[in-house]
Amino acid sequence: MKKLAFVFIFFGLAFICFAKDQTKNHAAEKHSVYIWSGIKSMRGERVLMEVSIPQKPNGTAVIICPGGSYHHLGIFNEGRTSAKWFNSNGVTTCLLWYRVAKNNYHYPAQMQDIQRAIQLVRENPYFYKAKKVGVIGFSAGGHLAAWSGMFGERSNELVKIGIETSVSLKPDFVIPVYPVVSMQDDIGHKWSRKSLLGKNPSQQKKDLFSLELQVPNDMPPTYLVACKDDPVVLFENSVRLSKALEEAGADFVFKQYPEGGHGFGMVNNKFLKRYHWNEELKEWLVAKGFM
């Protein structure tokens, strides 16, 4: 009996140690990066990027832009839950705390932040364990993600503040989820527009930041997600973006759902359990060679 008890204890301890070791092996390596550190022209700007590198990185990094109407940031439900899911699939994540109107930041701060984030990942592939860089964004963050794909080669916001780089500021793919798209009066999300462009933007500015009017012929592969019953950002935003992507001959998928509303992120909620939208996204990422 004593020998039998000893055997059970031994294997029990061995299992506990194995389980701890497995947990350790699956833990992501985490870093805090302040993207404007060391840039004289941006002294005093403390924009955080939470970096998580999985144990076995697959060579892709995703910059995550939470939503919040360009006023605040949905760090948990759209940021950290997304990071956890991407990490579990071997993708390095960079959760970007881009500047918002709540702290008195408007255009061009947000655009500077996303381009700086892309620059850092591209220039430091050894640190980020990635040679491919994508951007996923939710709501207003979806606007920022799509903007990065449209203007990466057309508008270098970094040069304007004295930063030179030889790397491309255009991401390899973009994933706008229930995105703010238009700044026009009929379907535009007014709060996001005010936060980004101020109270009374000119029609020229409305047009420039209405993404349905700005899709280039070299748009990166795009995975667009929206729900028809979205009560916050009208579904028509994504419909118009889809039409513009099609007209530009872009490589894109428009994944639309009959219900789900707005703000579901990657939380394990009723919408995720019913539609498994992240698993459908995974199929696309795998097919494109990003996962």
Side-chain angles (χ1 to χ4, degrees):
M1 287 295 292
K2 287 184 178 180
K3 284 185 177 181
L4 186 61
F6 175 79
V7 169
F8 278 121
I9 292 171
F10 175 80
F11 281 105
L13 290 172
F15 176 79
I16 291 170
C17 291
F18 173 77
K20 286 183 176 180
D21 187 58
Q22 290 297 100
T23 301
K24 183 179 179 181
N25 286 341
H26 286 85
E29 179 184 335
K30 299 183 182 297
H31 303 277
S32 293
V33 174
Y34 289 91
I35 67 173
W36 298 113
S37 179
I39 305 298
K40 289 183 179 180
S41 62
M42 301 298 283
R43 186 179 291 118
E45 301 292 357
R46 289 179 59 80
V47 177
L48 174 67
M49 188 162 68
E50 294 180 8
V51 179
S52 275
I53 303 171
Q55 190 70 21
K56 294 181 179 180
N58 64 11
T60 296
V62 169
I63 298 167
I64 303 170
C65 300
S69 303
Y70 278 127
H71 176 267
H72 55 277
L73 297 174
I75 293 297
F76 175 74
N77 66 312
E78 294 168 342
R80 290 183 178 144
T81 54
S82 300
K84 185 177 180 181
W85 181 79
F86 276 106
N87 286 163
S88 71
N89 285 284
V91 178
T92 293
T93 56
C94 304
L95 173 53
L96 182 62
W97 292 60
Y98 60 90
R99 290 169 289 173
V100 290
K102 179 181 178 181
N103 299 318
N104 298 314
Y105 289 105
H106 310 280
Y107 169 77
Q110 297 85 353
M111 284 62 190
Q112 292 169 346
D113 291 346
I114 187 61
Q115 288 196 334
R116 176 63 172 168
I118 293 170
Q119 178 200 6
L120 288 174
V121 179
R122 289 219 187 276
E123 287 185 345
N124 300 278
Y126 180 80
F127 175 79
Y128 293 95
K129 310 296 183 187
K131 293 183 179 180
K132 298 174 184 177
V133 186
V135 182
I136 184 173
F138 301 83
S139 196
H143 182 274
L144 188 58
W147 181 92
S148 72
M150 294 177 189
F151 286 88
E153 302 291 0
R154 296 161 60 191
S155 180
N156 190 325
E157 299 294 329
L158 301 184
V159 167
K160 299 173 186 178
I161 53 176
I163 299 175
E164 297 287 345
T165 181
S166 60
V167 301
S168 173
L169 299 178
K170 183 174 73 172
D172 295 300
F173 61 92
V174 294
I175 308 168
V177 184
Y178 42 82
V180 170
V181 172
S182 186
M183 295 289 160
Q184 303 301 319
D185 294 335
D186 57 345
I187 64 165
H189 187 248
K190 303 298 191 297
W191 192 13
S192 294
R193 185 175 74 184
K194 179 182 177 182
S195 296
L196 182 66
L197 303 178
K199 288 184 179 180
N200 298 298
S202 65
Q203 187 59 47
Q204 183 181 16
K205 272 197 171 182
K206 291 179 188 178
D207 291 347
L208 181 61
F209 290 93
S210 289
L211 302 184
E212 74 274 23
L213 304 178
Q214 300 297 336
V215 179
N217 293 329
D218 62 347
M219 184 71 183
T222 302
Y223 191 91
L224 172 62
V225 180
C227 295
K228 293 181 179 179
D229 68 343
D230 192 328
V232 179
V233 177
L234 295 177
F235 179 68
E236 181 64 21
N237 276 260
S238 292
V239 171
R240 291 190 190 178
L241 179 56
S242 173
K243 289 178 180 177
L245 288 165
E246 185 176 10
E247 289 172 4
D251 176 2
F252 80 102
V253 169
F254 180 20
K255 194 65 184 180
Q256 47 189 291
Y257 298 95
E259 58 186 10
H262 191 88
F264 48 79
M266 278 203 188
V267 176
N268 191 27
N269 50 27
K270 290 182 180 178
F271 177 76
L272 188 75
K273 291 175 181 177
R274 180 172 182 178
Y275 291 105
H276 308 286
W277 82 269
N278 56 345
E279 293 305 317
E280 293 182 317
L281 169 62
K282 180 178 179 178
E283 291 176 8
W284 180 80
L285 289 166
V286 170
K288 293 295 178 186
F290 298 122
M291 186 176 281

